[in-house]
Tab-separated table of all heavy atoms in Angstrom:
chain	number	residue	atom	x	y	z
A	1	TYR	N	72.091	142.081	73.070
A	1	TYR	CA	71.919	143.138	72.074
A	1	TYR	C	73.017	144.189	72.130
A	1	TYR	O	73.118	145.028	71.248
A	1	TYR	CB	70.558	143.800	72.233
A	1	TYR	CG	69.408	142.836	72.082
A	1	TYR	CD1	68.520	142.620	73.110
A	1	TYR	CD2	69.232	142.134	70.899
A	1	TYR	CE1	67.469	141.729	72.969
A	1	TYR	CE2	68.186	141.241	70.743
A	1	TYR	CZ	67.310	141.045	71.787
A	1	TYR	OH	66.288	140.162	71.644
A	2	ILE	N	73.795	144.178	73.189
A	2	ILE	CA	74.890	145.128	73.347
A	2	ILE	C	76.138	144.297	73.621
A	2	ILE	O	76.507	144.081	74.771
A	2	ILE	CB	74.617	146.116	74.498
A	2	ILE	CG1	73.303	146.838	74.294
A	2	ILE	CG2	75.764	147.116	74.616
A	2	ILE	CD1	72.884	147.705	75.472
A	3	PRO	N	76.811	143.802	72.554
A	3	PRO	CA	77.935	142.881	72.751
A	3	PRO	C	79.298	143.563	72.916
A	3	PRO	O	80.321	142.886	72.829
A	3	PRO	CB	77.909	142.053	71.475
A	3	PRO	CG	77.426	143.012	70.436
A	3	PRO	CD	76.420	143.896	71.155
A	4	ALA	N	79.294	144.857	73.164
A	4	ALA	CA	80.572	145.552	73.323
A	4	ALA	C	80.339	146.875	74.040
A	4	ALA	O	79.252	147.433	73.987
A	4	ALA	CB	81.205	145.808	71.962
A	5	VAL	N	81.394	147.353	74.686
A	5	VAL	CA	81.313	148.645	75.361
A	5	VAL	C	82.710	149.259	75.411
A	5	VAL	O	83.697	148.542	75.542
A	5	VAL	CB	80.716	148.497	76.790
A	5	VAL	CG1	81.600	147.654	77.679
A	5	VAL	CG2	80.458	149.845	77.430
A	6	LEU	N	82.764	150.560	75.238
A	6	LEU	CA	84.009	151.303	75.438
A	6	LEU	C	83.949	151.924	76.822
A	6	LEU	O	82.996	152.625	77.148
A	6	LEU	CB	84.157	152.414	74.397
A	6	LEU	CG	84.400	151.994	72.965
A	6	LEU	CD1	84.362	153.203	72.051
A	6	LEU	CD2	85.730	151.275	72.836
A	7	VAL	N	84.944	151.674	77.635
A	7	VAL	CA	84.980	152.214	78.990
A	7	VAL	C	85.932	153.399	78.998
A	7	VAL	O	87.074	153.290	78.556
A	7	VAL	CB	85.435	151.135	79.997
A	7	VAL	CG1	85.570	151.722	81.388
A	7	VAL	CG2	84.442	149.972	80.000
A	8	ALA	N	85.445	154.530	79.491
A	8	ALA	CA	86.262	155.744	79.536
A	8	ALA	C	87.565	155.477	80.274
A	8	ALA	O	87.592	154.794	81.302
A	8	ALA	CB	85.486	156.863	80.226
A	9	ASN	N	88.643	156.013	79.742
A	9	ASN	CA	89.981	155.872	80.319
A	9	ASN	C	90.453	154.423	80.407
A	9	ASN	O	91.306	154.095	81.213
A	9	ASN	CB	90.053	156.526	81.703
A	9	ASN	CG	89.696	157.982	81.636
A	9	ASN	OD1	90.188	158.723	80.793
A	9	ASN	ND2	88.805	158.410	82.504
A	10	HIS	N	89.857	153.584	79.607
A	10	HIS	CA	90.279	152.187	79.610
A	10	HIS	C	90.401	151.683	78.188
A	10	HIS	O	91.431	151.779	77.575
A	10	HIS	CB	89.301	151.322	80.408
A	10	HIS	CG	89.819	149.941	80.642
A	10	HIS	ND1	89.798	148.967	79.659
A	10	HIS	CD2	90.379	149.373	81.725
A	10	HIS	CE1	90.341	147.850	80.143
A	10	HIS	NE2	90.698	148.066	81.396
A	11	GLY	N	89.332	151.173	77.639
A	11	GLY	CA	89.345	150.613	76.300
A	11	GLY	C	88.119	149.744	76.089
A	11	GLY	O	87.182	149.769	76.876
A	12	PRO	N	88.137	148.937	75.036
A	12	PRO	CA	86.952	148.150	74.701
A	12	PRO	C	86.856	146.843	75.484
A	12	PRO	O	87.866	146.243	75.856
A	12	PRO	CB	87.152	147.854	73.211
A	12	PRO	CG	88.624	147.818	73.035
A	12	PRO	CD	89.166	148.845	73.992
A	13	PHE	N	85.624	146.448	75.718
A	13	PHE	CA	85.300	145.117	76.212
A	13	PHE	C	84.292	144.552	75.228
A	13	PHE	O	83.317	145.242	74.864
A	13	PHE	CB	84.663	145.172	77.609
A	13	PHE	CG	85.623	145.512	78.702
A	13	PHE	CD1	85.904	146.837	79.001
A	13	PHE	CD2	86.246	144.513	79.432
A	13	PHE	CE1	86.784	147.164	80.018
A	13	PHE	CE2	87.140	144.836	80.447
A	13	PHE	CZ	87.410	146.158	80.742
A	14	VAL	N	84.493	143.353	74.770
A	14	VAL	CA	83.562	142.703	73.844
A	14	VAL	C	83.332	141.270	74.305
A	14	VAL	O	84.140	140.693	75.022
A	14	VAL	CB	84.076	142.706	72.385
A	14	VAL	CG1	84.214	144.110	71.855
A	14	VAL	CG2	85.381	141.954	72.266
A	15	TRP	N	82.211	140.693	73.871
A	15	TRP	CA	81.901	139.314	74.216
A	15	TRP	C	81.044	138.713	73.118
A	15	TRP	O	80.565	139.404	72.235
A	15	TRP	CB	81.205	139.228	75.578
A	15	TRP	CG	80.084	140.181	75.740
A	15	TRP	CD1	78.770	139.988	75.436
A	15	TRP	CD2	80.166	141.533	76.227
A	15	TRP	NE1	78.033	141.107	75.706
A	15	TRP	CE2	78.867	142.073	76.196
A	15	TRP	CE3	81.219	142.317	76.696
A	15	TRP	CZ2	78.595	143.370	76.609
A	15	TRP	CZ3	80.934	143.606	77.094
A	15	TRP	CH2	79.645	144.119	77.069
A	16	GLY	N	80.861	137.429	73.190
A	16	GLY	CA	80.046	136.697	72.232
A	16	GLY	C	79.847	135.284	72.728
A	16	GLY	O	80.355	134.901	73.781
A	17	SER	N	79.111	134.498	71.951
A	17	SER	CA	78.825	133.118	72.360
A	17	SER	C	80.072	132.242	72.267
A	17	SER	O	80.142	131.188	72.889
A	17	SER	CB	77.695	132.533	71.514
A	17	SER	OG	78.063	132.554	70.137
A	18	ASP	N	81.052	132.679	71.487
A	18	ASP	CA	82.343	131.992	71.399
A	18	ASP	C	83.400	133.020	71.007
A	18	ASP	O	83.088	134.197	70.801
A	18	ASP	CB	82.294	130.821	70.405
A	18	ASP	CG	81.862	131.233	69.002
A	18	ASP	OD1	82.142	132.382	68.583
A	18	ASP	OD2	81.263	130.403	68.308
A	19	CYS	N	84.647	132.571	70.902
A	19	CYS	CA	85.734	133.522	70.616
A	19	CYS	C	85.586	134.154	69.234
A	19	CYS	O	85.957	135.309	69.034
A	19	CYS	CB	87.090	132.853	70.764
A	19	CYS	SG	87.383	131.482	69.640
A	20	PHE	N	85.030	133.442	68.284
A	20	PHE	CA	84.874	133.978	66.934
A	20	PHE	C	83.848	135.114	66.905
A	20	PHE	O	84.061	136.138	66.256
A	20	PHE	CB	84.483	132.864	65.952
A	20	PHE	CG	85.503	131.771	65.898
A	20	PHE	CD1	85.274	130.560	66.525
A	20	PHE	CD2	86.717	131.967	65.248
A	20	PHE	CE1	86.223	129.553	66.496
A	20	PHE	CE2	87.680	130.973	65.209
A	20	PHE	CZ	87.429	129.750	65.839
A	21	GLU	N	82.754	134.933	67.618
A	21	GLU	CA	81.750	135.998	67.691
A	21	GLU	C	82.296	137.202	68.452
A	21	GLU	O	82.031	138.351	68.079
A	21	GLU	CB	80.464	135.489	68.357
A	21	GLU	CG	79.354	136.512	68.314
A	21	GLU	CD	78.056	136.002	68.896
A	21	GLU	OE1	78.071	135.318	69.942
A	21	GLU	OE2	77.016	136.311	68.298
A	22	ALA	N	83.077	136.975	69.481
A	22	ALA	CA	83.670	138.086	70.230
A	22	ALA	C	84.625	138.886	69.341
A	22	ALA	O	84.617	140.122	69.369
A	22	ALA	CB	84.396	137.559	71.466
A	23	VAL	N	85.425	138.193	68.530
A	23	VAL	CA	86.329	138.899	67.611
A	23	VAL	C	85.515	139.665	66.576
A	23	VAL	O	85.837	140.826	66.259
A	23	VAL	CB	87.319	137.916	66.933
A	23	VAL	CG1	88.052	138.593	65.790
A	23	VAL	CG2	88.294	137.372	67.957
A	24	HIS	N	84.461	139.056	66.049
A	24	HIS	CA	83.587	139.755	65.096
A	24	HIS	C	83.035	141.034	65.736
A	24	HIS	O	83.052	142.107	65.117
A	24	HIS	CB	82.443	138.842	64.658
A	24	HIS	CG	81.384	139.551	63.888
A	24	HIS	ND1	81.513	139.857	62.546
A	24	HIS	CD2	80.178	140.046	64.262
A	24	HIS	CE1	80.433	140.505	62.141
A	24	HIS	NE2	79.614	140.631	63.167
A	25	ASN	N	82.546	140.927	66.966
A	25	ASN	CA	81.997	142.094	67.654
A	25	ASN	C	83.070	143.157	67.876
A	25	ASN	O	82.782	144.358	67.824
A	25	ASN	CB	81.353	141.683	68.974
A	25	ASN	CG	80.104	140.866	68.759
A	25	ASN	OD1	79.464	140.946	67.705
A	25	ASN	ND2	79.752	140.047	69.726
A	26	SER	N	84.307	142.736	68.098
A	26	SER	CA	85.403	143.679	68.250
A	26	SER	C	85.652	144.439	66.943
A	26	SER	O	85.861	145.657	66.956
A	26	SER	CB	86.667	142.930	68.670
A	26	SER	OG	87.737	143.814	68.808
A	27	VAL	N	85.611	143.731	65.829
A	27	VAL	CA	85.810	144.369	64.523
A	27	VAL	C	84.675	145.360	64.240
A	27	VAL	O	84.917	146.476	63.769
A	27	VAL	CB	85.919	143.308	63.404
A	27	VAL	CG1	85.904	143.942	62.027
A	27	VAL	CG2	87.168	142.459	63.598
A	28	VAL	N	83.451	144.968	64.552
A	28	VAL	CA	82.299	145.860	64.356
A	28	VAL	C	82.453	147.106	65.223
A	28	VAL	O	82.242	148.233	64.753
A	28	VAL	CB	80.971	145.134	64.657
A	28	VAL	CG1	79.806	146.109	64.687
A	28	VAL	CG2	80.724	144.029	63.634
A	29	LEU	N	82.843	146.932	66.480
A	29	LEU	CA	83.046	148.074	67.374
A	29	LEU	C	84.114	149.015	66.830
A	29	LEU	O	83.949	150.237	66.839
A	29	LEU	CB	83.430	147.587	68.772
A	29	LEU	CG	83.733	148.677	69.795
A	29	LEU	CD1	82.511	149.539	70.061
A	29	LEU	CD2	84.253	148.060	71.075
A	30	GLU	N	85.199	148.445	66.331
A	30	GLU	CA	86.277	149.254	65.765
A	30	GLU	C	85.785	150.065	64.564
A	30	GLU	O	86.083	151.252	64.424
A	30	GLU	CB	87.446	148.356	65.357
A	30	GLU	CG	88.668	149.102	64.914
A	30	GLU	CD	89.404	149.791	66.040
A	30	GLU	OE1	89.285	149.377	67.201
A	30	GLU	OE2	90.119	150.777	65.740
A	31	GLU	N	85.025	149.428	63.697
A	31	GLU	CA	84.498	150.114	62.506
A	31	GLU	C	83.521	151.226	62.896
A	31	GLU	O	83.579	152.333	62.353
A	31	GLU	CB	83.823	149.102	61.577
A	31	GLU	CG	83.407	149.682	60.255
A	31	GLU	CD	84.564	150.143	59.387
A	31	GLU	OE1	85.689	149.629	59.521
A	31	GLU	OE2	84.335	151.037	58.546
A	32	LEU	N	82.632	150.929	63.818
A	32	LEU	CA	81.681	151.957	64.268
A	32	LEU	C	82.404	153.121	64.945
A	32	LEU	O	82.023	154.284	64.761
A	32	LEU	CB	80.654	151.345	65.226
A	32	LEU	CG	79.666	150.382	64.589
A	32	LEU	CD1	78.831	149.689	65.655
A	32	LEU	CD2	78.777	151.090	63.584
A	33	SER	N	83.431	152.806	65.718
A	33	SER	CA	84.214	153.863	66.368
A	33	SER	C	84.897	154.749	65.331
A	33	SER	O	84.930	155.970	65.478
A	33	SER	CB	85.267	153.248	67.298
A	33	SER	OG	84.645	152.516	68.318
A	34	ALA	N	85.435	154.126	64.292
A	34	ALA	CA	86.078	154.902	63.227
A	34	ALA	C	85.064	155.793	62.526
A	34	ALA	O	85.346	156.966	62.244
A	34	ALA	CB	86.749	153.968	62.218
A	35	MET	N	83.879	155.255	62.255
A	35	MET	CA	82.832	156.057	61.605
A	35	MET	C	82.434	157.242	62.484
A	35	MET	O	82.262	158.356	61.986
A	35	MET	CB	81.608	155.181	61.301
A	35	MET	CG	81.857	154.176	60.200
A	35	MET	SD	80.571	152.909	60.050
A	35	MET	CE	79.095	153.854	59.942
A	36	ALA	N	82.299	157.004	63.787
A	36	ALA	CA	81.932	158.087	64.706
A	36	ALA	C	83.025	159.148	64.754
A	36	ALA	O	82.736	160.349	64.735
A	36	ALA	CB	81.675	157.514	66.102
A	37	TRP	N	84.285	158.719	64.807
A	37	TRP	CA	85.398	159.664	64.845
A	37	TRP	C	85.442	160.500	63.565
A	37	TRP	O	85.606	161.722	63.619
A	37	TRP	CB	86.716	158.907	65.041
A	37	TRP	CG	87.885	159.836	65.140
A	37	TRP	CD1	88.295	160.538	66.234
A	37	TRP	CD2	88.774	160.183	64.080
A	37	TRP	NE1	89.389	161.297	65.926
A	37	TRP	CE2	89.713	161.102	64.603
A	37	TRP	CE3	88.876	159.819	62.744
A	37	TRP	CZ2	90.724	161.641	63.847
A	37	TRP	CZ3	89.898	160.363	61.987
A	37	TRP	CH2	90.808	161.263	62.537
A	38	ILE	N	85.273	159.860	62.426
A	38	ILE	CA	85.278	160.592	61.150
A	38	ILE	C	84.122	161.579	61.103
A	38	ILE	O	84.290	162.731	60.690
A	38	ILE	CB	85.234	159.616	59.958
A	38	ILE	CG1	86.556	158.852	59.864
A	38	ILE	CG2	84.931	160.344	58.661
A	38	ILE	CD1	86.513	157.657	58.927
A	39	THR	N	82.956	161.145	61.536
A	39	THR	CA	81.787	162.033	61.545
A	39	THR	C	82.056	163.268	62.399
A	39	THR	O	81.818	164.400	61.965
A	39	THR	CB	80.547	161.288	62.076
A	39	THR	OG1	80.257	160.198	61.196
A	39	THR	CG2	79.337	162.205	62.149
A	40	LYS	N	82.562	163.067	63.603
A	40	LYS	CA	82.835	164.201	64.499
A	40	LYS	C	83.975	165.069	63.978
A	40	LYS	O	83.994	166.270	64.210
A	40	LYS	CB	83.154	163.697	65.913
A	40	LYS	CG	81.946	163.229	66.671
A	40	LYS	CD	81.041	164.395	66.975
A	40	LYS	CE	80.022	164.050	68.020
A	40	LYS	NZ	79.185	165.193	68.363
A	41	THR	N	84.935	164.466	63.305
A	41	THR	CA	86.051	165.223	62.747
A	41	THR	C	85.579	166.132	61.615
A	41	THR	O	85.994	167.286	61.515
A	41	THR	CB	87.147	164.267	62.231
A	41	THR	OG1	87.591	163.468	63.318
A	41	THR	CG2	88.318	165.034	61.664
A	42	LEU	N	84.705	165.597	60.771
A	42	LEU	CA	84.211	166.376	59.643
A	42	LEU	C	83.201	167.436	60.066
A	42	LEU	O	83.120	168.494	59.452
A	42	LEU	CB	83.569	165.450	58.605
A	42	LEU	CG	84.522	164.503	57.881
A	42	LEU	CD1	83.735	163.546	57.000
A	42	LEU	CD2	85.542	165.272	57.070
A	43	ARG	N	82.455	167.134	61.119
A	43	ARG	CA	81.410	168.060	61.536
A	43	ARG	C	81.246	167.999	63.055
A	43	ARG	O	80.562	167.125	63.578
A	43	ARG	CB	80.097	167.699	60.834
A	43	ARG	CG	79.035	168.708	61.096
A	43	ARG	CD	77.876	168.572	60.156
A	43	ARG	NE	76.860	169.506	60.577
A	43	ARG	CZ	75.626	169.466	60.188
A	43	ARG	NH1	75.245	168.551	59.322
A	43	ARG	NH2	74.755	170.341	60.624
A	44	LEU	N	81.858	168.933	63.728
A	44	LEU	CA	81.853	168.939	65.188
A	44	LEU	C	80.469	169.100	65.794
A	44	LEU	O	80.223	168.659	66.906
A	44	LEU	CB	82.765	170.054	65.708
A	44	LEU	CG	84.257	169.883	65.422
A	44	LEU	CD1	85.013	171.111	65.866
A	44	LEU	CD2	84.792	168.635	66.095
A	45	ASP	N	79.563	169.739	65.065
A	45	ASP	CA	78.237	169.999	65.623
A	45	ASP	C	77.236	168.882	65.315
A	45	ASP	O	76.030	169.070	65.472
A	45	ASP	CB	77.699	171.344	65.115
A	45	ASP	CG	77.512	171.374	63.605
A	45	ASP	OD1	78.097	170.519	62.909
A	45	ASP	OD2	76.773	172.244	63.119
């Protein structure tokens, strides 16, 4: 249920049942990270 993690001072780790699922999970993580960054940029609180 948690196919990816961002490690502080490192970067992302992702996994899946095969390389295609791992890449998909990487893309999802990237998109969610961008959404979080935009949210915090627009509204710090």
